[in-house]
Amino acid sequence: MGESLTSQPASTNGLTIDPTCRIEFGPGRVAHLAELISSLGMDRAFVVTDRGLRAAGIVDQVLKVLDAAGLEHGVYDGVGANPSTGNVDEGAARARAFGPAVVVALGGGSVLDAAKGISLLVGNGDAAAADADALWEALDGLPLIAIPTTSGTGAETNGFGVIEDTVACRKVYLGHPSVKPRIALLDPELTLGLPARITAATGIDALVHGIESLASRGANPVSVAYATQAVDMVGRWLPVAHRDGSDLEARAQLMFGAHLAGQALTISGLGLVHGIGHALTAHTGTPHGVALAAVLEEVLEFSAPDAREAYERTARALRLDPPADGDWARAAIEAVRGISGELGIKQPLRELGVRPDLLAPIAAGALADAVTRNAPRRPTEQDILGILEAAF
């Protein structure tokens, strides 16, 4: 990494890091789903997905695998783009009626997040998604297999989901160790032909995961290793997959890079880009990756004084030439600006439905978000307002 970088220190208090999940990776790997379900000791599956994947034929492709193996299955396809407590409660009611099964989460981050909540609620009687704060001490949920159909969220690596409480107009964290997916089935063929705008939105999410993990207060040698490799792979292959959605090599490399970014964030935690992104989505319904891109560069600028080493790691992972002035942080920020520009994903907040009167509540929501406390430079509410105004 060069002499100017010191290695990430391990805590003098030691570390405990649980393995995330079994990884099954490769084109066509979804054909092995039935045997993976059986490996968890069950012969029934409850598939959680969305109507878009149903219309695209991907759900039928998976159900044919289950039918061929004679596995009984149920389906809930009502998950929304920003999953709500209502989605989780409805899906849990369907799953309870279906009975004991492996939950198969088939979709993007929204589906995977909702499926974790559904799995957890089924194991806890009449619990509702709005009870999120009380469910960390819950009974175990159903076993879960995650099959991501986008490359970005990393939701297959952890046991919590970000769910929208539409009544309180806020995002809540719903999860439990028992609903961390037992198996992540990563089949890049399922992402072939994904529209460029979705490739961009989910891919920028993965890039942010890697960068924020490197800069996180919770970073350690293991998370740094995952995050560095993730930034390398996502930074290289995201623009390629965005230009040509049929490039299987690009899709495969991007999918694995996004998974490693998920591994990293699960260990280290995230930061202010996600804190603001969650609040933006809660108030405007902006898709998660688009919300992140709207403030990414502004947050990187704000955080740079306290994240120079992390941003140097970012720049080197992006394979940048050494800057003539030695300012690796500036080089990293400009490189990220270039990637975002190539993807065409950054939009002013005013074009995302943010009115001037929403700036203060969004700032308050971002400050209250748990991930914001993990940022390398902890902001005040006024700091966040300044970032939002710069991005407006």
Side-chain angles (χ1 to χ4, degrees), residues 164-188:
E164 185 170 358
D165 185 333
T166 52
V167 176
C169 198
R170 68 185 183 106
K171 293 287 188 175
V172 297
Y173 294 93
L174 178 60
H176 187 267
S178 68
V179 297
K180 180 168 65 174
R182 307 283 184 89
I183 300 169
L185 198 166
L186 308 177
D187 187 338

Side-chain angles (χ1 to χ4, degrees), residues 212-372:
E212 288 205 303
S213 182
L214 286 171
S216 166
R217 289 172 179 261
N220 61 57
V222 177
S223 66
V224 167
Y226 282 134
T228 301
Q229 184 65 24
V231 170
D232 181 317
M233 296 175 76
V234 174
R236 179 180 178 185
W237 292 101
L238 170 57
V240 181
H242 181 258
R243 287 193 298 270
D244 180 3
S246 65
D247 186 328
L248 183 58
E249 177 69 10
R251 290 296 190 186
Q253 296 284 350
L254 178 58
M255 174 168 269
F256 213 107
H259 178 76
L260 293 176
Q263 298 260 21
L265 78 87
T266 298
I267 295 168
S268 67
L270 292 169
L272 181 56
V273 180
H274 273 77
I276 295 176
H278 292 159
L280 277 173
T281 297
H283 283 274
T284 66
T286 301
H288 179 63
V290 176
L292 299 181
V295 297
L296 173 55
E297 295 139 43
E298 289 80 4
V299 173
L300 294 181
E301 296 273 5
F302 170 80
S303 301
D306 295 295
R308 293 199 174 278
E309 184 176 315
Y311 291 174
E312 180 174 347
R313 291 184 187 278
T314 298
R316 291 180 183 273
L318 291 172
R319 309 183 187 200
L320 303 184
D321 292 331
D325 60 1
D327 191 345
W328 284 99
R330 171 57 48 196
I333 294 169
E334 291 306 316
V336 170
R337 195 187 311 277
I339 292 171
S340 181
E342 185 172 351
L343 300 177
I345 191 173
K346 184 176 176 65
Q347 294 177 253
L349 295 182
R350 62 181 175 274
E351 293 181 8
L352 299 177
V354 178
R355 305 183 309 271
D357 63 295
L358 284 178
L359 295 177
I362 289 171
L367 186 64
D369 195 297
V371 298
T372 297

Side-chain angles (χ1 to χ4, degrees), residues 15-273:
L15 290 171
T16 299
I17 299 174
D18 290 328
T20 52
C21 57
R22 172 179 170 182
I23 302 169
E24 292 286 342
F25 169 78
R29 192 56 63 98
V30 74
H32 299 280
L33 177 59
E35 61 198 67
L36 295 176
I37 291 169
S38 297
S39 75
L40 297 180
M42 290 193 179
D43 58 2
R44 305 173 83 244
F46 186 78
V47 179
V48 178
T49 188
D50 62 43
R51 294 186 179 93
L53 288 173
R54 173 83 87 170
I58 292 177
V59 175
D60 286 343
Q61 180 181 343
V62 170
L63 296 184
K64 285 178 182 176
V65 172
L66 301 181
D67 285 334
L71 264 65
E72 185 181 1
H73 53 78
V75 179
Y76 173 66
D77 64 3
V79 179
N82 290 312
S84 67
T85 50
N87 287 154
V88 175
D89 288 338
E90 181 181 47
R94 299 272 190 90
R96 288 185 183 114
F98 181 72
V102 172
V103 173
V104 175
L106 175 67
S110 296
V111 167
L112 271 57
D113 280 0
K116 296 172 200 173
I118 289 167
S119 171
L120 181 57
L121 295 190
V122 172
N124 286 272
D126 296 326
D131 302 328
D133 293 342
L135 284 168
W136 288 103
E137 302 298 326
L139 300 173
D140 286 354
L142 296 176
L144 195 149
I145 294 175
I147 310 177
T149 58
T150 62
S151 298
T153 69
E156 71 275 7
T157 64
N158 57 64
F160 65 88
V162 183
I163 306 296
E164 185 170 358
D165 185 333
T166 52
V167 176
C169 198
R170 68 185 183 106
K171 293 287 188 175
V172 297
Y173 294 93
L174 178 60
H176 187 267
S178 68
V179 297
K180 180 168 65 174
R182 307 283 184 89
I183 300 169
L185 198 166
L186 308 177
D187 187 338
E189 288 187 350
L190 297 179
T191 68
L192 288 173
L194 195 70
R197 61 182 176 79
I198 299 177
T199 300
T202 54
I204 205 74
D205 189 15
L207 185 63
V208 174
H209 289 162
I211 296 170
E212 288 205 303
S213 182
L214 286 171
S216 166
R217 289 172 179 261
N220 61 57
V222 177
S223 66
V224 167
Y226 282 134
T228 301
Q229 184 65 24
V231 170
D232 181 317
M233 296 175 76
V234 174
R236 179 180 178 185
W237 292 101
L238 170 57
V240 181
H242 181 258
R243 287 193 298 270
D244 180 3
S246 65
D247 186 328
L248 183 58
E249 177 69 10
R251 290 296 190 186
Q253 296 284 350
L254 178 58
M255 174 168 269
F256 213 107
H259 178 76
L260 293 176
Q263 298 260 21
L265 78 87
T266 298
I267 295 168
S268 67
L270 292 169
L272 181 56
V273 180

Side-chain angles (χ1 to χ4, degrees), residues 1-10 220-221 224 309 313:
M1 295 293 289
E3 294 181 359
S4 63
L5 277 182
T6 58
S7 59
Q8 185 71 28
N220 61 57
V224 167
E309 184 176 315
R313 291 184 187 278

